[in-house]
Amino acid sequence: MSAEMPLSGLSAAVLEAFRADGVLSRADPGFRPRAGQTQMAQAVAETVEQGGSLVVEAGTGVGKTFAYLVPALLSGERVLISTATKALQDQLFARDLPRLASAFGLPVKLALLKGRASYLCPYRLDLARREALLPDRATVSLLAKVERWAQGTRTGDLAELPGLDERSPLLPFITSTRENCLGSECDHYRDCPVMQARKQALAADIVVINHHLFFADLAVRETGMAELLPSVRVVVFDEAHQLNETGVQFLGHQLGTTQLLELARDALATGLTLAQGLADWQGLSSALELAARDFRLLFARAGRSARLAWSGELPEGLDAAGWQECLDRVRTAAEQLEAGLDLVVETAPDFVRLQERVLEIQQRLKAFQAPAAVGHVRWVEVGAQVRLLEAPLDIAETVRARLLDAQTPEDNPLPRSWVFTSATLGDDEQLRWFTEPCGLESARVLQVSSPFDYPRQAVLFVPRDMVVPSDSQHSAQVGGLATRIARVLGGRTLVLTTTLRALQSIGEQLQQAFAEDAQVEVLVQGQGSKRELMERFRQGEVGGRGCVLVASATFWEGFDVPGDALQAVVIDKLPFPPPNDPVVQARSERLTQQGRSPFKDYFLPEAAVSLKQGAGRLIRRETDRGVLVVCDPRLSTTGYGRRLMSALPPMAKVSSEAVLLEGLARLTTASTKAS
Ligand SMILES: Nc1ncnc2c1ncn2[C@@H]1O[C@H](COP(=O)(O)OP(=O)(O)OP(=O)(O)O)[C@@H](O)[C@H]1O
Ligand SMILES: [Mg+2]
């Protein structure tokens, strides 16, 4: 947009809000105009007004949240905001949005919409209570806790329940799936939290969703977005660097043993209740169940958790005859069940639904027996269940066809506006690392600068004498260093790990180290909900106790802890993609075929993006100070390490632990004085 063009209403209002004497500044004494943030806000406002797509890269901590929320709020349009994780949804919905809405005095309706698995299913809670199928005593007592909470909750969002681990074995018993949901037939339909959340989303001005939900819905049209999206003209994707990864998981198709087992179970239950004696439900169900179990056994050799590539017509490591036999067995069982259902399908809607599920399974079986589509990758995920998956290598086609070229909402004369933003979208001016796989080559691209004085505010330490990450002593050394740092700081330390194993061993080590220490509380991801962990860590010192948080995955991104509660970020190792992963392998092969280097063009940029995200948790305010510790000597000893180093903000460097700890000691005295 040229400088002479008069500012329209929205752009002017947005600029006004970000001025030193504007609304934001009046609402928060810590607010300082940040040139990059204002520039981004203005670009977002222009995109909202004119339609089209905008891609903005603005470093960690720049203040992207306000930069898109302010134009969104002031536009008066219905806006959909999607972020990478449920935890970040909570951060937006519970903290940032209400704060802004009240600063502007706008009576906007806000809604939070998550996937079905995030909400309590009152019907299944009833069942769990009656059927006594829970695996152990701990789960039973957790159920009692859920029941107490269920009496008082208004949303049914399980993230509100204190102390509930997201991997708890109770969850499948108290949440529903698309397959087992009774829909409008359910007695709890009217007080169903999923339905309530969807209803509120449809009535809201601003709806916060996540990328999984967005793509799951594009793929299967079930989460309530199918009604939502057509009525929304403005869509913002935060943490957009995750879009491609998330999108591909949903855009292909899959067939899993859980799907088969659930169908067998539901067919049996429904058959016996509604059509006893009309077919051999027991026999039909157990044939399918057996076929599913054999299917699982076929992959027993792969261990308890693996991703297997597909070679030629079948998954690697299997023999063709065994594979065929197994698929045939599932197919036969499905056909027989379908025939059984056919006899009774007219008698109840439940049977129609079951029959649809059988047909879906048959279609997928057929798909997995034919060759994979061009440009798609196929693999097998072996875990508690076995899943066959096929997905495109990127989301470019889908974004172009289903988003950019999709029709605009009927009652709105303007074209749709799409905003994509993240701190890390590539390392060239066109941000090709992001725009190519996302089909956004024609979008307007903007990169803005950071307001922080990194050489003054932050210090980087790479311990040179630490063993390499592949060494079995590595986690213990990381834990040791993190302990020494947290001792000096009295907590205030975020340890980010790349693997679950490291998370657990470092977490245990720190918890032991501080078990007797009244000044430091150690939080470990998985022990309590993410929302609780985030809130506790952000509070910083409570009753003289500072906090250490050991976490992986979602805490690398978006997690915002301004001020003294966080002064050290410790990263265990360089976050390269796992080389044995079939999707990673397929992408590497495609690059090799194109004459490009998988390492330079894929592994390194991926690692750079993640590393920048993790490092970005440290400095969130002009007054923040802190240290980044990367416990991977390769960062300073290898050539590619130097390239990764140059992707990080220009921090000062220290070369020894002694100097580091001394600096940290000074930091604590300074911040104690300031507060
Ligand atoms: N102009 C400002 N002055 C002072 N503080 C601000 C300003 N804008 C935003 N903040 C605060 O800065 C912190 C970082 O903002 P935000 O979380 O939006 O960063 P971000 O750009 O989304 O970073 P990330 O990429 O890591 O998610 C927040 O605590 C926010 O409240
Ligand atoms: Mg953010």
Side-chain angles (χ1 to χ4, degrees), residues 28 30-34 37 58-66 91 95 99 238-239 423 558 560 562 613 616-617 620-622:
D28 174 4
F31 183 89
R32 303 277 174 280
R34 295 174 173 175
Q37 182 183 45
T60 49
V62 163
K64 292 183 286 297
T65 320
F66 289 177
Q91 188 172 287
R95 192 186 64 158
R99 218 203 259 172
D238 194 356
E239 306 294 347
D560 179 45
Q613 287 289 346
R617 299 314 105 217
R620 315 293 293 179
R621 292 246 169 175
E622 288 79 350

Side-chain angles (χ1 to χ4, degrees), residues 309 582-596 598:
V583 179
V584 172
Q585 277 172 353
R587 290 200 181 119
S588 302
E589 273 160 32
R590 184 166 67 168
L591 284 169
T592 311
Q593 277 162 14
Q594 292 167 348
R596 293 162 74 181

Side-chain angles (χ1 to χ4, degrees), residues 48 65-66 68-82 89 92-93 96-98 100-101 104 106-113 197 199-209 228 231-232 234-236:
V48 169
T65 320
F66 289 177
Y68 63 75
L69 286 184
V70 170
L73 279 168
L74 295 182
S75 71
E77 299 249 11
R78 264 163 77 64
V79 181
L80 192 63
I81 295 169
S82 180
Q89 279 185 273
L92 272 171
F93 181 76
D96 301 321
L97 268 167
L100 278 183
F104 285 98
L106 287 172
V108 282
K109 279 204 213 122
L110 310 174
L112 182 64
L113 185 61
K199 219 158 77 197
Q200 271 158 21
L202 281 172
D205 302 303
I206 300 205
V207 185
V208 181
I209 61 165
L228 193 59
S231 68
V232 170
V234 181
V235 184
V236 179

Side-chain angles (χ1 to χ4, degrees), residues 10-317:
L10 181 60
S11 290
V14 167
L15 271 188
E16 189 69 34
F18 281 92
R19 282 167 44 151
D21 55 356
V23 177
L24 293 169
S25 183
R26 288 199 296 273
D28 174 4
F31 183 89
R32 303 277 174 280
R34 295 174 173 175
Q37 182 183 45
T38 311
Q39 199 186 350
M40 170 172 168
Q42 204 182 345
V44 174
E46 285 160 14
T47 307
V48 169
E49 288 180 307
Q50 295 157 16
S53 36
L54 169 71
V55 174
V56 192
E57 186 189 61
T60 49
V62 163
K64 292 183 286 297
T65 320
F66 289 177
Y68 63 75
L69 286 184
V70 170
L73 279 168
L74 295 182
S75 71
E77 299 249 11
R78 264 163 77 64
V79 181
L80 192 63
I81 295 169
S82 180
T83 187
T85 62
K86 290 185 276 183
L88 290 176
Q89 279 185 273
D90 289 337
Q91 188 172 287
L92 272 171
F93 181 76
R95 192 186 64 158
D96 301 321
L97 268 167
R99 218 203 259 172
L100 278 183
S102 98
F104 285 98
L106 287 172
V108 282
K109 279 204 213 122
L110 310 174
L112 182 64
L113 185 61
K114 299 180 180 174
R116 170 194 283 293
S118 301
Y119 298 97
L120 178 78
C121 170
Y123 172 69
R124 292 184 58 79
L125 178 65
D126 275 354
L127 281 184
R129 200 184 288 141
R130 277 187 277 135
E131 288 184 344
L133 289 172
L134 299 180
D136 51 40
R137 297 260 311 270
T139 318
V140 173
S141 72
L142 191 56
L143 180 70
K145 195 168 162 192
V146 171
E147 292 192 71
R148 283 195 299 278
W149 165 80
Q151 314 267 310
T153 175
R154 279 179 36 223
T155 62
D157 183 345
L158 292 161
E160 285 175 2
L161 184 63
L164 183 67
D165 182 347
E166 65 210 55
R167 286 170 311 210
S168 162
L170 180 64
L171 286 177
F173 291 95
I174 56 167
T175 58
S176 64
T177 62
R178 183 166 68 101
E179 275 82 22
N180 64 29
C181 172
L182 299 181
S184 52
E185 311 282 312
C186 182
D187 288 344
H188 292 275
Y189 191 64
R190 293 182 58 209
D191 59 331
C192 166
V194 176
M195 297 317 298
Q196 298 287 348
R198 289 180 188 175
K199 219 158 77 197
Q200 271 158 21
L202 281 172
D205 302 303
I206 300 205
V207 185
V208 181
I209 61 165
N210 61 57
H211 304 341
H212 288 89
L213 192 59
F214 186 86
F215 283 104
D217 196 79
L218 273 190
V220 296
R221 311 215 139 268
E222 90 87 29
T223 45
M225 288 252 311
E227 300 122 297
L228 193 59
L229 195 55
S231 68
V232 170
R233 195 185 62 82
V234 181
V235 184
V236 179
F237 293 97
D238 194 356
E239 306 294 347
H241 62 282
Q242 290 276 8
L243 269 188
N244 186 44
E245 225 35 73
T246 310
V248 295
Q249 290 176 30
F250 289 95
L251 294 179
H253 43 256
Q254 36 174 288
L255 178 65
T257 48
T258 303
Q259 194 182 359
L260 301 175
L261 290 172
E262 280 177 356
L263 176 62
R265 205 182 53 210
D266 294 348
L268 179 63
T270 315
L272 291 183
T273 321
L274 300 177
Q276 193 159 27
L278 296 184
D280 174 15
W281 300 115
Q282 198 78 58
L284 293 172
S285 165
S286 59
L288 185 58
E289 196 183 311
L290 266 180
R293 297 211 186 281
D294 287 348
F295 204 110
R296 174 72 187 79
L297 280 177
L298 202 56
F299 294 90
R301 252 188 311 156
R304 269 192 296 164
S305 145
R307 271 155 73 110
L308 305 177
W310 204 279
S311 71
E313 309 272 286
L314 67 161
E316 65 181 5

